[in-house]
Amino acid sequence: MQKIIDGKAFAANLRAEVQRKVGLLVKDGGVTPGLAVVLVGEDPASQVYVRSKGKQTVEVGMQSFEHKLPDTTSQEALVDLIDSLNNDDSVHGILVQLPLPPQIDEKIVINRISPDKDVDGFHLDNVGRLSIGDPGIVPCTPLGCIMMIKEQLGDLSGKHAVIVGRSNIVGKPMASLLLMENCTVTITHSRTKDLAAECRRADILVAAVGRPEMIVGDWVKPGATVIDVGINRVDAGDGKTKLVGDVDFASVEPVASHITPVPGGVGPMTIACLLHNTLQQACHITGKSVPE
Ligand code: NDP
């Protein structure tokens, strides 16, 4: 057990596991998993993510297909590309980097992706499956969080989990996953009355807010496990910027039994889980079992 959960090491282990299984799938099954990433526009943060995803995809032995489109791309053109990727047998996972430019309706594009290739787990089919507890594709960030929580705590049954944030990509799927592990789950948001008191009840506290260092030591029950999903770029005071989470690490770390740092906590797990989902779907689509 680690007090400061090393997300980088955890992600490296998961990637190594994916790489080993991809090797077996290629050798014994004749299938090379393929991940297509679609980037529309020039958003610098998105470009960094896409580059990193492509690099890690190739490192684990998968095929990476990058589609970079100008920010003037029409919805029709993007939907046509999705259709062709849906029909491409070498592609087992499709990820459309968000956000999309304003002329494109995100919901239409995401729901155009074949649910079997929706490795982000954002298609309504997969959202519905997760909410009723059926097997489907789980969004990468909450999947990474639940893997790390289970690794640290084992059985989560009966624990009180409090999630700060109710977004469709983090807060809500996180709640479904914790519920499936038999936690008692509280979801909080911007209209929650006395957020500090809600947080203090948590055995497992997941922060996915987007407010730098909002959660302080006084809000945390001694011995709680604290998972910080937040990624906020703030002024470092020396003319540079730095990344901080939604949790004030300095005051929370002495109180918590386990805590994820930012950077180096949840962040690295997100891409590792994307690769994990792509491997799973390559096996599912081609009718092969996932190598042991
Ligand atoms: P959203 O902006 O979609 O959702 C934020 C949530 O926080 C909303 O539900 C909002 O409530 C709630 N909230 C905002 N302010 C407060 C407040 N003062 N008190 C209580 N609740 C509040 O964000 P995301 O879920 O997409 O992302 C959350 C954070 O996680 C961001 O920092 C993001 O960068 C990071 N992130 C990190 C990832 C990773 O790989 N590590 C991946 C995805 C996100 P309401 O619904 O009422 O508005």
Side-chain angles (χ1 to χ4, degrees):
M1 285 211 300
Q2 306 165 317
K3 173 149 193 176
I4 299 175
I5 301 172
D6 186 347
K8 255 183 164 169
F10 206 102
N13 285 340
L14 180 58
R15 279 198 308 272
E17 188 65 8
V18 169
Q19 182 172 12
R20 185 182 65 75
K21 291 181 179 179
V22 168
L24 291 173
L25 185 64
V26 173
K27 183 161 87 59
D28 301 334
V31 174
T32 304
L35 173 64
V37 177
V38 180
L39 174 64
V40 186
E42 311 273 308
D43 180 63
S46 295
Q47 284 179 332
V48 172
Y49 288 137
V50 166
R51 213 173 305 131
S52 186
K53 282 168 188 164
K55 185 168 166 274
Q56 293 188 34
T57 303
V58 171
E59 278 169 5
V60 297
M62 298 184 184
Q63 276 191 285
S64 169
F65 306 98
E66 277 182 27
H67 295 268
K68 292 188 177 157
L69 307 177
D71 62 3
T72 51
T73 301
S74 69
Q75 181 164 303
E76 200 189 7
L78 183 53
V79 163
D80 283 349
L81 173 61
I82 303 285
D83 286 347
S84 75
L85 296 172
N86 282 340
N87 292 321
D88 184 340
D89 289 343
S90 59
V91 172
H92 307 100
I94 302 170
L95 180 146
V96 177
Q97 185 67 42
L98 303 178
L100 291 168
Q103 74 276 14
I104 297 176
D105 184 331
E106 232 165 72
K107 278 189 189 161
I108 289 179
V109 170
I110 297 301
N111 288 302
R112 190 77 175 206
I113 299 172
S114 157
D116 278 344
K117 297 190 178 185
D118 165 44
V119 280
D120 251 342
F122 295 162
H123 189 288
L124 284 177
D125 199 84
N126 287 312
V127 173
R129 283 167 182 273
L130 180 60
S131 78
I132 64 167
D134 266 7
I137 306 174
V138 176
C140 302
T141 301
L143 179 60
C145 293
I146 199 80
M147 284 179 180
M148 291 195 288
I149 296 169
K150 282 173 73 176
E151 164 86 3
Q152 296 301 319
L153 301 184
D155 182 18
L156 307 183
S157 207
K159 295 198 185 294
H160 191 151
V162 176
I163 301 159
V164 190
R166 56 173 163 182
S167 72
N168 293 332
I169 61 166
V170 189
K172 284 181 196 153
M174 194 70 239
S176 298
L177 290 170
L178 289 161
L179 209 49
M180 279 159 74
E181 297 297 328
N182 299 315
C183 290
T184 302
V185 179
T186 301
I187 306 177
T188 65
H189 46 77
S190 68
R191 311 289 171 88
T192 296
K193 294 207 172 86
D194 203 347
L195 183 62
E198 295 297 341
C199 291
R200 267 184 222 116
R201 294 165 60 212
D203 302 311
I204 300 167
L205 180 62
V206 181
V209 200
R211 300 267 180 275
E213 299 174 323
M214 185 181 86
I215 291 166
V216 292
D218 182 35
W219 294 21
V220 176
K221 177 158 89 176
T225 294
V226 180
I227 305 295
D228 190 355
V229 181
I231 302 178
N232 308 288
R233 192 163 281 286
V234 296
D235 188 352
D238 54 2
K240 296 190 181 134
T241 59
K242 62 172 180 176
L243 288 185
V244 298
D246 292 339
V247 172
D248 175 37
F249 190 86
S251 66
V252 173
E253 190 266 343
V255 185
S257 66
H258 311 281
I259 182 168
T260 58
V262 177
V266 174
M269 279 300 283
T270 299
I271 299 183
C273 287
L274 176 70
L275 302 173
H276 164 89
N277 281 351
T278 305
L279 169 64
Q280 299 286 318
Q281 292 315 111
C283 294
H284 175 73
I285 291 167
T286 57
K288 312 272 180 201
S289 43
V290 181
E292 290 296 324

